[in-house]
């Protein structure tokens, strides 16, 4: 199995980049080779993975305009099984350079097709706008993962988001589906969060993921160190939430990761009984 997930929401500040970085990291730590593609000219995913911003390096821009293949633009990260395609400010120009290009909406899809089978999961971090960069991501994706804050304005954007999905499906990508909606910066103590969660559950049904991402200072601190939250503070609530999100998505896709097999094997093992003195 190989699946491309576009992390998308036309509203900014909802945790798209945080979700892209940490979900990809969590999937890789489950023992699954994972590729994260930074499709945002702000390059926050690139910086958050500790790759730095280097405009001279091959990037998503070079892939889209045909200057590089996915393999040539791929770089390693601090996590063994996690690879990345970095972004740069050059990507801003792609919106204009591709306007009159042939098959402009399919550039990313066709580039990823060459390496897709090498990765069980490819995660695309999209910019907070419905431009040609986001359209390339939606055309390339198999499923949309939508981070959404539990607030009133999030509800207002639902119809626009679903309208966008319908248009892309009818015009460019008939197999594209909504993978799921994940609540971010969630505080269950507030009545507003609970009300929004209930409304989203009525609207999306089982597409609203059970895992919620809490407000957590470690999630905010980790990118400044160029680390995923699992590397920065693996015992934090944020790290545990993204690990749980990865496992929920794996379960929904009927994927048993190498780490899950190890957990099941160790759970079936009888515990060793030791007697004092332990050094004998």
């Amino acid at each position: 199995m190989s699946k491309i997930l576009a992390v998308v929401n036309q509203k900014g500040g909802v945790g798209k980049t945080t979700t892209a970085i940490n979900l990809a990291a969590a999937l890789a730590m489950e023992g699954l080779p994972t590729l994260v593609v930074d499709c945002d000219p702000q390059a926050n995913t690139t910086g958050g993975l500790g790759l730095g911003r280097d405009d001279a390096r091959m990037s998503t821009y070079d892939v889209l305009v045909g200057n590089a293949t996915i393999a040539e633009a791929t770089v390693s990260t601090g996590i063994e099984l996690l690879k990345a395609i970095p972004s740069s400010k050059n990507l801003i120009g792609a919106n204009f350079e591709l306007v009159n290009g042939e098959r402009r909406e399919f550039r990313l899809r066709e580039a990823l097709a060459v390496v897709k089978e090498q990765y069980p999961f490819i995660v695309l971090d999209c910019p907070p706008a419905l431009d040609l960069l986001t359209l390339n991501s939606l055309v390339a994706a198999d499923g949309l993962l939508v981070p959404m804050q539990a607030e009133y304005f999030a509800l207002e954007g639902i119809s626009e988001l679903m309208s966008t999905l319908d248009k892309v499906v009818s015009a460019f990508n008939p197999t594209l589906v909504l993978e799921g909606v994940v609540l971010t910066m969630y505080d269950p103590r507030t009545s507003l969060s609970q009300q929004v969660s209930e409304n989203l559950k009525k609207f999306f049904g089982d597409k609203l993921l059970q895992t919620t991402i809490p407000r957590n200072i470690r999630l905010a601190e980790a990118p400044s160190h160029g680390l995923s939250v699992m590397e920065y503070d693996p015992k934090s609530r944020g790290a545990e939430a993204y690990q749980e999100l990865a496992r929920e998505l794996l379960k929904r896709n009927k994927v048993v990761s190498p780490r899950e097999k190890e957990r099941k094997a160790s759970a079936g093992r009888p515990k060793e009984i030791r007697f004092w003195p332990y050094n004998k």
Side-chain angles (χ1 to χ4, degrees):
M1 175 208 149
S2 181
K3 175 165 278 193
I4 300 176
L5 293 176
V7 183
V8 62
N9 192 319
Q10 291 159 242
K11 186 177 184 298
V14 297
K16 284 193 306 298
T17 296
T18 299
T19 296
I21 291 172
N22 292 299
L23 174 60
L27 290 169
M29 289 179 175
E30 283 290 311
L32 299 168
T34 303
L35 176 67
V36 59
V37 184
D38 192 348
C39 301
D40 190 339
Q42 297 180 75
N44 289 330
T45 291
T46 302
L49 288 169
L51 300 176
R53 290 169 172 80
D54 182 358
D55 295 334
R57 176 180 55 200
M58 293 291 185
S59 67
T60 311
Y61 166 79
D62 296 284
V63 172
L64 290 176
V65 299
N67 292 340
T69 64
I70 287 288
E72 290 170 337
T74 299
V75 297
S76 298
T77 70
I79 299 172
E80 182 181 0
L81 293 178
L82 180 61
K83 304 295 183 183
I85 308 291
S87 181
S88 74
K89 64 182 182 183
N90 296 332
L91 195 54
I92 298 172
N95 273 314
F96 305 101
E97 293 178 44
L98 294 178
V99 167
N100 297 316
E102 292 183 9
R103 295 182 63 78
R104 59 184 184 178
E105 301 90 354
F106 297 88
R107 297 292 182 93
L108 185 58
R109 178 177 181 171
E110 292 169 352
L112 287 173
V114 180
V115 299
K116 185 176 180 181
E117 296 306 317
Q118 299 174 26
Y119 300 98
F121 285 92
I122 298 175
V123 179
L124 312 178
D125 182 26
C126 303
L130 186 57
D131 56 12
L132 197 48
L133 299 176
T134 300
L135 184 56
N136 260 270
S137 297
L138 300 185
V139 173
D142 300 305
L144 303 186
L145 181 63
V146 183
M148 190 172 287
Q149 277 185 267
E151 60 179 28
Y152 173 73
F153 290 116
L155 298 174
E156 284 193 329
I158 289 176
S159 58
E160 186 178 357
L161 177 67
M162 299 312 293
S163 174
T164 298
L165 173 60
D166 290 341
K167 289 175 183 176
V168 173
V169 167
S170 62
F172 302 109
N173 187 359
T175 61
L176 180 64
V177 298
L178 178 64
E179 183 75 17
V181 176
V182 57
L183 285 170
T184 58
M185 307 176 204
Y186 187 73
D187 186 350
R189 297 170 299 178
T190 67
S191 58
L192 176 61
S193 292
Q194 294 173 14
Q195 289 170 9
V196 171
S197 179
E198 290 171 6
N199 287 333
L200 290 174
K201 181 66 176 177
K202 290 176 183 177
F203 189 88
F204 287 110
D206 63 359
K207 292 295 184 180
L208 180 64
L209 300 175
Q210 294 181 7
T211 305
T212 58
I213 309 301
R215 288 190 179 274
N216 181 246
I217 189 63
R218 297 305 193 196
L219 282 173
E221 292 173 348
S224 66
H225 296 270
L227 298 170
S228 70
V229 72
M230 274 72 68
E231 299 166 281
Y232 180 63
D233 187 350
K235 303 246 182 233
S236 66
R237 290 174 62 229
E240 291 174 352
Y242 275 109
Q243 289 167 341
E244 187 60 34
L245 177 63
R247 291 170 193 168
E248 182 177 354
L249 288 173
L250 290 176
K251 185 176 181 180
R252 282 173 173 251
N253 285 279
K254 297 181 173 56
V255 176
V256 180
S257 71
R259 297 296 172 267
E260 181 63 22
K261 291 177 182 177
E262 291 173 6
R263 286 191 290 270
K264 288 181 178 179
S266 62
R269 259 187 236 123
K271 291 186 178 179
E272 179 186 3
I273 300 175
R274 303 178 68 199
F275 298 93
W276 178 265
Y278 295 133
N279 59 346
K280 288 187 178 181

